[in-house]
Amino acid sequence: MQRENVEFDSEGARLRGWFYLPSAQTGPHPAIVMAHGFSAVKEQYLDRYAEVFAAAGFAVLVYDHRNFGASEGLPRQEVDPVSQKRGYRDAISYVQTRADVDASRIGIWGSSFSGGHVLEVAAIDRRVKCVVSQVPQISGYQSALRRTRADQVPALLARFEADRAQRFAGGAPAMLPATSADPAEPCAMAGADSHAFFAATAAFAPAWRNEVTLRSAERSRENEPGVYIARISPTPLLMIVADADTLTATDLCLRAYEDALQPKQLEMIAGGHFTPYVEHFDTASQRAAQWFARHLRPVE
């Protein structure tokens, strides 16, 4: 397979990533657009997924979200779910301009925070012909209820208000660790498994930084992609759900899956939120590749 560095415009910022072409096949190819989750960059295992998809005969675009990694955008390290979803749609527009891509056969893949993004994008953008959503965030509000103890919520909201006032006055944004080894330290993604996953990628993903703006956490609480799930049909949906996920809670994912209409398929894997990237990578990637192959097959 071939891989090239590419970039495209998304509302005034250049988003950068990799474009993969399958080997020994004539195009135009069906294509898959994919990006990572909350604070993550493409080097954190997305190249492995792209290689599996390219080996299955797909062109693949992998890119960093606005404000992260190789992509442009300010403030740095700010997660904005609205602009990230628009980035997916601009990425689709980019791949459709390429002569080596069949513009009528576009799939999207997302995981964790972007697993929620692809649910919404697939529901509102009919250029998407197939979607894979892996361990997705379904509801920012419901997730926040589980991550922050009720007695700590007033202090958190007060921090959001103070940060908003500081920004309005021209000050720098407040920052928050993305993960922490200290369970008592406030961070965006609490839990030992979160910290272990990101710490283990440091050697091959130096662009990742263990911080996000505080407003990223506020915007995550406002993000509700699950409300779109019944609107995805007739676009085929595969959901990959971990049975012991505490970051994007298993029960929220399963309840959302029940609300989705056919055609749909559920793949359960054992373990926590990050197991699809490592321990169960083969299962997660192969099931996704099979779903894309089933629904993005060449037009006879």
Side-chain angles (χ1 to χ4, degrees):
M1 69 189 71
Q2 306 172 44
R3 189 180 93 178
E4 63 176 294
N5 295 327
V6 297
E7 59 181 49
F8 57 95
D9 182 74
S10 182
E11 301 196 345
R14 302 299 289 176
L15 305 189
R16 300 188 175 97
W18 301 317
F19 187 81
Y20 292 76
L21 277 173
S23 302
Q25 294 190 40
T26 58
H29 307 281
I32 298 167
V33 170
M34 52 191 300
H36 223 317
F38 196 93
S39 87
V41 294
K42 61 187 182 300
E43 289 83 2
Q44 289 168 312
Y45 299 110
L46 291 202
D47 50 345
R48 296 182 67 203
Y49 277 94
E51 288 166 3
V52 169
F53 299 156
F58 296 97
V60 187
L61 173 62
V62 182
Y63 68 95
D64 285 327
H65 289 298
R66 186 188 188 108
N67 307 337
F68 288 90
S71 291
E72 294 180 346
L74 296 173
R76 300 304 293 173
Q77 301 301 115
E78 179 149 289
V79 178
D80 183 342
V82 173
S83 71
Q84 290 186 357
K85 292 164 196 171
R86 290 174 179 167
Y88 262 98
R89 301 183 76 180
D90 291 328
I92 293 168
S93 296
Y94 166 71
V95 298
Q96 286 189 319
T97 68
R98 296 186 59 114
D100 43 18
V101 167
D102 182 340
S104 68
R105 293 185 290 155
I106 305 294
I108 56 175
W109 177 100
S111 187
S112 191
F113 204 58
S114 70
H117 295 347
V118 296
L119 296 176
E120 184 171 332
V121 172
I124 61 181
D125 194 328
R126 291 303 168 187
R127 296 177 299 172
V128 176
K129 303 305 180 186
C130 185
V131 55
V132 174
S133 175
Q134 178 173 281
V135 293
Q137 185 194 52
I138 297 299
S139 168
Y141 175 71
Q142 292 295 333
S143 296
L145 290 178
R146 299 171 187 230
R147 292 180 194 164
T148 307
R149 286 195 344 234
D151 62 318
Q152 296 176 344
V153 170
L156 176 62
L157 298 181
R159 290 185 67 193
F160 291 158
E161 292 172 5
D163 178 54
R164 186 173 299 279
Q166 178 174 290
R167 287 173 179 264
F168 188 77
M175 304 302 289
L176 180 73
T179 72
S180 177
D182 180 358
E185 182 182 21
C187 64
M189 293 175 284
D193 58 342
S194 297
H195 183 72
F197 171 81
F198 284 100
T201 68
F204 52 85
W208 182 76
R209 291 163 51 186
N210 188 17
E211 63 176 1
V212 293
T213 64
L214 182 62
R215 186 163 62 172
S216 300
E218 183 180 26
R219 286 177 167 169
S220 176
R221 290 170 63 92
E222 302 165 0
N223 189 43
E224 296 293 328
V227 301
Y228 288 86
I229 199 162
R231 292 169 51 184
I232 294 172
S233 176
T235 302
L237 165 67
L238 171 66
M239 280 186 65
I240 299 173
V241 178
D243 67 4
D245 196 333
T246 58
L247 196 61
T248 57
T250 303
D251 64 303
L252 296 181
C253 292
L254 294 178
R255 190 175 302 125
Y257 178 78
E258 290 304 312
D259 291 336
L261 305 180
Q262 295 289 348
K264 63 179 181 177
Q265 182 171 308
L266 176 67
E267 179 71 30
M268 294 295 300
I269 58 175
H273 184 76
F274 297 96
T275 57
Y277 304 105
V278 186
E279 295 92 337
H280 297 300
F281 167 78
D282 288 343
T283 297
S285 61
Q286 290 296 333
R287 294 296 182 273
Q290 291 163 8
W291 188 251
F292 286 128
R294 177 178 172 184
H295 295 286
L296 297 178
R297 59 188 179 276
V299 177
E300 299 296 337

